Amino acid sequence: MSVQYLKGVGPKRAQAFARLGVRTVADTFYLLPLRHEDRRVLRPIRDLSAGLQETVVGEVKGTAVTSTRRGFKILSVILEDGTGTLVAKWFHQPYLQQRFHPGHRVIVSGKVSWGPGFEMVNPDYEAWEDGSQTHTGCIVPVYPLADGLFQRWLRSFMKDLILARAPQVQDFLPHGILHRHALMALPEALRAIHFPEQMEDAEAGKRRLAFDDLLLLSLGVARMRRAAEGDVAGAMAGAPDIETAVRARLGFELTPAQERVLEEIKADMARPRPMMRLLQGDVGSGKTAVALLAMVHAVGSGFQGAIMAPTEILAEQHYLKAQAVLEPAGIQIGLLSGGISVRERERLRQSIAAGEVQVAIGTHALLQEAVSFHRLGLIVVDEQHRFGVKQRAELAAKGSRPHTLVMTATPIPRTLAFALYGDLNVSVIEGLLPGRQPVKTELVPEGMRLQAYEFVREEVRRGGAAYVICPLVEESEEADLKAATSLAAELQKGILRDSSVGCIHGRMRTEEKRRVMDAFRNGEIQVLVATTVVEVGMDVPRATVVVVEHADRFGLTQLHQIRGRVGRSQAQAFCLLIHGRYLTEEGAARLQAMVEWADGFQLAERDLELRGPGELFGTRQAGVPDLKVAHLLRDVRLLEVAQREAFRLVEEDPDLIGHALLRDAVEQRWEGALALATVG
Ligand code: ADP
Ligand code: MG
């Protein structure tokens, strides 16, 4: 039921609730207080201290509304409790006067100040009725607010709602679990998390709800894993002669680290069970070569493969690489990009369906599109740590169970990987490629921007090339385009007038992007101004400098990705981070971390600390349910407990037939994604 139809809400407040993420009545239970204030101690007026938050019960002696010279109305209410006098004042709310009747007792809670006597300005207040206080005299929740919602109204609303409805909420957790882990029952937990009797109760309530988050998540993952248990994938032996031909075309020997992870991947692919492997390696560590050889292994075994990249530019880049190294070995490749004609597209689809195209390359949309493969054996997903259970379910729904290799520069902690995927093997390429030096990173305050571009000019004069990255402004492509194009024009006319400056941004058509990228690759363009739209994975070894405008607006992982565009040859590379004069503490910490650490894994750990896993791993995109209360990193202990229980439950009762309430709760949280997983 929509929250709008609850007593006292209506369309206006429903909108305000929506801004807080609350749409249904059930959502309101999870509108968690920001904190609780303990207002239980009633202080005699005589013992008040100015500057402290205090609660006082007193009798109304008199009220008065006065006006300041500028016309502000001030309501003063004089309270006495036998030990002293306190004046409570409210600004701009003269109508409150009618709530205070001389002779009645009221309770007020607020910060004490010392005028000529004790005062409180805009305190929380209510009539004193022993034991039924909401805003004062008890532990009081402080809720997040949105335009159109006021603390006092919201608190009263929540109290009525929780008192009336929480007791009727059915607990979906089996008794055994509650008991084993000393968890509060759901109705009590809801009560405690909003209106606790003791401060510790709120914590206990929170722990219970966090456990729910983690258990429902783990149950979904456990069920999917269980459903996939019987899945069969092609057992692949490869074809050594084709592999040798491709290796000869690479132009370099694989490093021992690359060889090792390739062996791990091949070992998985040799088994008749679908591989699910994450290939982690810092930016520039050479993941693509490994992926291409894995492709060769699949093709050599008579299967097709698909490579999916996050952007068209990257798909194109993979296509160029594949053209150079796979085609000469007789492997048929195809690029399904937005830039090709409808007819060409149709033709490609047909040859993929017929099995003529052996390796299909495209964006992540390749999954959603109506592309059917003749015999899909391997999927490689590039630069993506958000490929999760949902995408796997989509694949499964297509009736194919290919091996899957996901490549990412962002390491996932083990427990997290397990939480999000259920089963996932991880291969890691450590260290830099031979002969590569860490990129030198420097902070450039805005006022010294010019020097950064003088440096670029010098590098270009010596034969180098540079990227200049602008941030997305307010997520608007329009503004984004303007920022990039006007900067490019400014540089071309000004300090970089002797070089050729190009520009690439999200609004360009694929054709144009391709032209600009080609020009940058072959040296016609020496300085490429780009927005973050095209930031990941670009591989132009000539580039030795990357300048980042407004570097403080980028996340740490993103900055590292951007920096990874250079340092792709033997030459020393540089990363110049231009930042504004006023940095937030967190912003400064981020930039400092960039200077200190060249290693992406260490940076990712820092980022995880600064931002938390939700943002970094986009649980939404991974297709797993939102966590309402739990925090995947902070609650890692509880996560382990929940996972154990989830896998035990599914082991004993795969369809949760004996736990109908729990099953409904899981299905609700996963919103149909689970149903998908069991199709096909
Ligand atoms: P990433 O892991 O970021 O995807 P890439 O696969 O794009 O990295 O590799 C970065 C660059 O290093 C590419 O230009 C690639 O051709 C080159 N490269 C990869 N492996 C090796 C190697 N073993 N020796 C030399 N260069 C390599
Ligand atoms: Mg890459």
Side-chain angles (χ1 to χ4, degrees):
M1 186 172 100
S2 164
V3 67
Q4 178 174 343
Y5 304 112
L6 285 176
K7 194 162 148 263
V9 180
K12 269 264 164 53
R13 286 196 174 118
Q15 268 175 20
F17 268 119
R19 281 194 285 277
L20 296 172
V22 172
R23 287 182 180 80
T24 66
V25 176
D27 288 343
T28 54
F29 293 152
Y30 293 93
L31 178 61
L32 300 191
L34 297 170
R35 63 193 148 85
H36 286 95
E37 281 181 12
D38 191 344
R39 299 180 182 168
R40 284 175 300 179
V41 177
L42 304 181
R43 191 82 62 197
I45 293 172
R46 182 183 54 206
D47 298 341
L48 291 178
S49 322
L52 293 186
Q53 202 74 33
E54 304 266 34
T55 302
V56 167
V57 177
E59 190 183 313
V60 177
K61 283 297 172 194
T63 65
V65 172
T66 52
S67 287
T68 65
R69 240 172 292 145
R70 288 159 76 197
F72 293 150
K73 296 240 183 320
I74 303 174
L75 166 66
S76 302
V77 176
I78 298 163
L79 300 175
E80 278 184 20
D81 70 349
T83 71
T85 303
L86 170 76
V87 181
K89 290 185 171 172
W90 284 269
F91 291 102
H92 309 300
Q93 302 175 77
Y95 50 86
L96 288 183
Q97 188 171 24
Q98 63 202 22
R99 303 226 180 142
F100 297 93
H101 304 287
H104 286 198
R105 296 224 287 168
V106 296
I107 175 166
V108 289
S109 211
K111 195 166 162 187
V112 178
S113 53
W114 180 259
F118 285 119
E119 286 186 4
M120 277 187 196
V121 175
N122 288 334
D124 266 326
Y125 64 92
E126 56 203 322
W128 169 247
E129 297 159 47
D130 210 0
S132 66
Q133 253 49 56
T134 300
H135 309 283
T136 55
C138 52
I139 296 178
V140 174
V142 178
Y143 289 100
L145 298 175
D147 238 8
L149 281 184
F150 294 96
Q151 191 64 248
R152 189 179 171 83
W153 180 86
L154 184 57
R155 194 182 287 141
S156 303
F157 169 81
M158 289 300 287
K159 186 156 186 189
D160 290 347
L161 186 95
I162 294 288
L163 289 190
R165 298 203 180 226
Q168 283 139 45
V169 171
Q170 271 188 308
D171 200 337
F172 52 80
L173 278 194
H175 262 300
I177 291 184
L178 285 182
H179 187 74
R180 266 196 296 287
H181 309 297
L183 294 164
M184 259 185 183
L186 189 50
E188 281 85 74
L190 289 172
R191 166 88 204 236
I193 206 164
H194 291 281
F195 297 96
E197 308 235 323
Q198 306 294 331
M199 283 300 218
E200 309 83 76
D201 296 352
E203 274 316 302
K206 208 164 168 181
R207 179 165 170 273
R208 155 67 208 249
L209 299 192
F211 183 84
D212 288 355
D213 275 349
L214 300 170
L215 185 79
L216 297 178
L217 168 73
S218 305
L219 275 173
V221 171
R223 286 182 73 191
M224 285 204 204
R225 193 172 109 156
R226 168 97 191 186
E229 237 156 49
D231 285 0
V232 177
M236 303 181 181
D241 48 327
I242 308 183
E243 185 175 327
T244 310
V246 169
R247 279 182 185 256
R249 281 265 158 187
L250 277 178
F252 49 75
E253 299 279 317
L254 292 195
T255 63
Q258 284 171 313
E259 292 287 3
R260 184 178 42 73
V261 300
L262 181 60
E263 279 315 309
E264 289 168 2
I265 292 163
K266 282 186 185 172
D268 278 3
M269 291 171 70
R271 281 190 285 269
R273 299 250 308 112
M275 163 175 78
M276 185 62 207
R277 191 170 276 278
L278 194 68
L279 175 54
Q280 291 182 359
D282 206 349
V283 283
S285 62
K287 297 184 287 290
T288 314
V290 174
L292 287 177
L293 287 171
M295 270 298 150
V296 170
H297 196 73
V299 171
S301 313
F303 288 86
Q304 288 171 293
I307 301 179
M308 301 194 297
T311 65
E312 301 242 323
I313 288 286
L314 277 190
E316 178 125 342
Q317 186 174 282
H318 283 310
Y319 179 69
L320 292 177
K321 277 253 161 76
Q323 249 183 345
V325 302
L326 299 185
E327 262 183 0
I331 297 174
Q332 297 298 314
I333 58 177
L335 174 67
L336 257 184
S337 83
I340 59 177
S341 69
V342 178
R343 267 197 32 235
E344 176 69 355
R345 206 177 180 74
E346 197 40 49
R347 203 190 55 72
L348 251 173
R349 269 195 200 150
Q350 276 171 16
S351 19
I352 293 172
E356 289 153 22
V357 166
Q358 292 162 295
V359 176
I361 300 166
T363 62
H364 291 154
L366 207 62
L367 250 193
Q368 276 95 46
E369 282 187 51
V371 181
S372 58
F373 286 80
H374 177 61
R375 205 177 176 213
L376 183 59
L378 172 67
I379 291 188
V380 170
V381 187
D382 190 18
E383 298 295 354
Q384 181 68 296
H385 43 261
R386 287 172 174 179
F387 183 86
V389 279
K390 181 141 161 246
Q391 284 83 348
R392 279 166 81 187
E394 275 166 4
L395 276 178
K398 286 189 138 192
S400 47
R401 311 271 177 175
H403 296 297
T404 306
L405 181 68
V406 181
M407 302 196 282
T408 173
T410 309
I412 289 190
R414 270 230 137 270
T415 33
L416 266 188
F418 192 74
L420 299 179
Y421 301 87
D423 52 343
L424 181 84
N425 296 307
V426 181
S427 290
V428 183
I429 304 180
E430 304 95 351
L432 293 174
L433 286 168
R436 302 280 163 89
Q437 316 163 46
V439 178
K440 282 204 174 124
T441 304
E442 273 177 57
L443 303 187
V444 182
E446 193 112 85
M448 294 171 61
R449 258 177 105 232
L450 219 53
Q451 266 122 305
Y453 288 105
E454 270 163 15
F455 185 81
V456 168
R457 191 176 60 193
E458 281 311 297
E459 278 288 304
V460 171
R461 210 177 47 78
R462 280 200 294 266
Y467 293 97
V468 177
I469 309 289
C470 317
L472 264 184
V473 187
E474 292 171 352
E475 307 279 320
S476 127
E477 288 197 335
E478 196 75 53
D480 153 33
L481 170 150
K482 231 185 110 217
T485 49
S486 61
L487 178 63
E490 178 197 318
L491 292 174
Q492 180 71 84
K493 267 188 288 176
I495 188 156
L496 298 178
R497 72 185 86 80
D498 294 330
S499 17
S500 163
V501 181
C503 180
I504 190 166
H505 53 75
R507 269 296 192 84
M508 278 170 147
R509 289 213 325 268
T510 312
E511 267 310 307
E512 290 175 84
K513 282 189 199 162
R514 181 181 303 151
R515 247 200 354 260
V516 175
M517 277 315 293
D518 284 348
F520 187 55
R521 235 179 239 119
N522 66 30
E524 277 165 54
I525 289 176
Q526 289 122 16
V527 180
L528 183 62
V529 180
T531 57
T532 49
V533 188
V534 291
E535 112 232 355
V536 289
M538 275 199 303
D539 183 38
V540 179
R542 291 180 45 248
T544 50
V545 195
V546 57
V547 179
V548 185
E549 289 274 353
H550 300 288
D552 41 312
R553 294 196 201 154
F554 291 92
L556 201 44
T557 306
Q558 226 179 351
L559 282 174
H560 184 62
Q561 267 286 355
I562 293 169
R563 178 168 61 185
R565 292 318 102 214
V566 297
R568 294 178 163 252
S569 68
Q570 314 276 3
Q572 174 66 58
F574 302 88
C575 173
L576 306 178
L577 303 173
I578 301 180
H579 61 84
R581 196 134 73 96
Y582 302 103
L583 289 173
T584 62
E585 200 174 313
E586 204 238 278
R590 242 180 297 141
L591 295 183
Q592 204 46 47
M594 281 294 292
V595 174
E596 252 164 70
W597 284 309
D599 180 296
F601 284 19
Q602 275 162 351
L603 279 174
E605 257 169 49
R606 273 301 279 149
D607 208 9
L608 220 51
E609 282 166 30
L610 290 173
R611 285 199 301 168
E615 285 229 24
L616 203 51
F617 296 109
T619 46
R620 248 288 153 64
Q621 289 86 342
V624 304
D626 269 346
L627 302 176
K628 296 171 194 286
V629 182
H631 184 288
L632 279 176
L633 276 193
R634 238 183 1 241
D635 298 326
V636 63
R637 276 276 142 66
L638 203 58
L639 173 62
E640 283 162 3
V641 172
Q643 280 172 341
R644 257 200 317 279
E645 288 291 357
F647 278 80
R648 197 183 49 77
L649 273 166
V650 169
E651 188 62 36
E652 287 168 4
D653 181 1
D655 292 317
L656 299 177
I657 293 181
H659 302 286
L661 285 174
L662 184 57
R663 191 187 53 208
D664 291 350
V666 177
E667 240 127 59
Q668 232 173 35
R669 276 290 173 99
W670 282 78
E671 292 168 10
L674 283 177
L676 248 181
T678 47
V679 180

